Amino acid sequence: QAKEDGRNTHRFFETDMGTAVNERRELITDLRHAIANDELEIYFQPQYSLESHTVSGFEALVRWDHPKRGMVPPMEFIPLAEDTGLIVPLGEWVLNEACRLAAGWPDHLRVAVNLSPRQLRGHGFGPVLIGALAKSGLRADRLELEVTESVLLIESEEILDALHQAKTLGVKVSMDDFGTGYSSLSYLRRFPFDKIKIDQSFVRSMAYSDESVSIVKAVIDLAKNLKMTTTAEGVETELLLEMLKDIGCTDAQGYFLGHPMPVSQMQDLIYACGDKAPLAVTAAQ
Ligand code: C2E
Ligand code: MG
Ligand code: MG
Ligand code: MG
C-alpha cells in the first residue's frame, strides 16, 4: 500500500512538474513576444522629499498586461527574464522609455530605473546608458539607477566598473532593498552609492517594533555619515511617515504617498510639480 501511494505521489509530482515546466515555457515565449512588440508598460510611483514635502521624482516600475492572463506581477516575470537573458532587452526598453518620458517632466524631477545585475555584466551597459541619455536628452543627474543587493554585485568587478562608469557620467546610483541581503555593509564599502533605499519590511515593522525603529535610525545615521540620502520604501500610513521624518529619513515612497500609476494618470501630479509649490502630503486614492 505504502509503495502504491509512493508511486501515485511520484506520478502526481511528475504531472505537476510537467505542467509547471510547460507553463514556464509558454510564459517565456509570451514575454519574448511582449518585449519585441512593445506590450510592456511603465508605471511611475512618486518619491517625496521629507525635507521640502515635494515630489522629488518617480520610480519606473515595469508592467506586463498579458493578453490572456491579465497583469502579471514583476515578481513573476522579472526572475524569468533574468534566467533567460531576456532581462537585457527588457531592461534596455525600460531605460530608454523611462528616460524619454522623464525628459518631458519639469527638470527638477528625477527618474529611478531598476536594474538587474545581469544587465551590468559584460560590456554592453555603458553604450546602452549613453544611448538612452543621448536619445532622450535627459540630463544625466536626473537619472537614478536602482540596484538590489545581491551576491553577484559584490563579486563582480565588471558590475562595479559599470556602476562607476554611470557615476562618471553624472548618473546617480541607489542601493535598493537595503537590509534584505547578506552583505549590505560590504557593498557600502565597495561602492559609493548616492542613496540607500530602506526595505519595506523594516519600514513596515517600525509601527510595532522599537527594535525596527532603532535599526532604521541606525541605517539613516550611517547613510548620513557616508554622505548618502535615504529613501524609506513601503510607507503605507501617516504614522510611519511622521516616525521617519522624526528620525531624519530624507525621502519616502509608498502607498500612503502615491501608488504606481500609468502615464495617462500622471498629468495632474506632474502639472502640480511644475510650479514647485510644496504639495500637501496626503493619502493617495
Ligand atoms: P522595488 O524596486 O523594490 O520596487 C518597489 C515595489 O514595492 C514595487 O512593486 C511597488 O509597487 C511596491 N510598493 C510601493 N509602495 C508600496 C507600499 O506602500 N506597500 C507595498 N506593499 N508595496 C509597495 P512592483 O512594481 O510589483 O515591483 C516589484 C519588484 O520588481 C521591484 O521592487 C523591482 O525589484 C522589480 N522590478 C520592477 N520593475 C523593474 C524593471 O523595470 N527592471 C528590473 N530589473 N526590475 C524591476
Ligand atoms: Mg526599486
Ligand atoms: Mg525596493
Ligand atoms: Mg525589490
Side-chain angles (χ1 to χ4, degrees), residues 18-204:
T19 313
V21 167
N22 283 336
E23 208 167 285
R24 189 182 146 91
R25 208 174 283 146
E26 198 179 290
L27 214 52
I28 291 168
T29 308
D30 292 353
L31 182 59
R32 186 170 288 125
H33 181 269
I35 296 167
N37 295 280
D38 258 9
E39 284 174 16
L40 300 175
E41 196 185 341
I42 299 178
Y43 276 35
F44 289 96
Q45 184 178 32
Q47 301 181 322
Y48 280 80
S49 157
L50 294 181
E51 283 153 3
S52 64
H53 288 212
T54 57
V55 175
S56 51
F58 292 86
E59 177 174 4
L61 295 158
V62 70
R63 291 291 179 267
W64 180 19
D65 192 2
H66 188 282
K68 280 193 232 128
R69 296 168 197 259
M71 279 289 182
V72 185
M75 296 291 260
E76 275 173 38
F77 69 90
I78 294 287
L80 216 58
E82 284 170 342
D83 291 350
T84 53
L86 284 172
I87 194 67
V88 174
L90 186 156
E92 187 171 341
W93 180 83
V94 172
L95 182 66
N96 277 305
E97 189 65 3
C99 289
R100 183 182 74 79
L101 291 163
W105 303 343
D107 71 1
H108 64 288
L109 295 178
R110 287 191 182 156
V111 66
V113 176
N114 292 287
L115 294 183
S116 296
R118 182 145 180 185
Q119 291 174 259
L120 297 169
R121 272 201 258 129
H123 299 284
F125 186 70
V128 166
L129 180 60
I130 292 168
L133 292 170
K135 275 183 278 185
S136 63
L138 187 76
R139 228 174 48 225
D141 68 351
R142 294 182 57 200
L143 176 63
E144 251 171 54
L145 302 175
E146 294 191 0
V147 286
T148 300
E149 3 165 5
S150 112
V151 186
L152 286 170
L153 184 59
I154 193 160
E155 283 176 352
S156 167
E157 286 300 325
E158 270 174 17
I159 291 177
L160 288 173
D161 285 350
L163 293 178
H164 278 293
Q165 190 183 356
K167 281 209 80 158
T168 304
L169 289 168
V171 171
K172 308 285 179 203
V173 183
S174 312
M175 179 184 285
D176 207 349
D177 306 330
F178 185 84
T180 56
Y182 290 113
S183 38
S184 317
L185 293 174
S186 345
Y187 293 122
L188 293 184
R189 202 181 46 188
R190 295 277 321 258
F191 187 79
F193 290 93
D194 297 286
K195 176 186 279 187
I196 289 175
K197 296 191 74 178
I198 304 167
D199 191 67
Q200 330 197 342
S201 54
F202 290 104
V203 173
R204 209 166 295 132

Side-chain angles (χ1 to χ4, degrees), residues 238-255:
E238 186 163 21
L239 173 68
L240 283 175
L241 192 67
E242 292 306 324
M243 292 173 87
L244 288 159
K245 237 187 281 181
D246 286 348
I247 57 176
C249 189
T250 60
D251 301 85
Q253 184 179 352
Y255 293 166

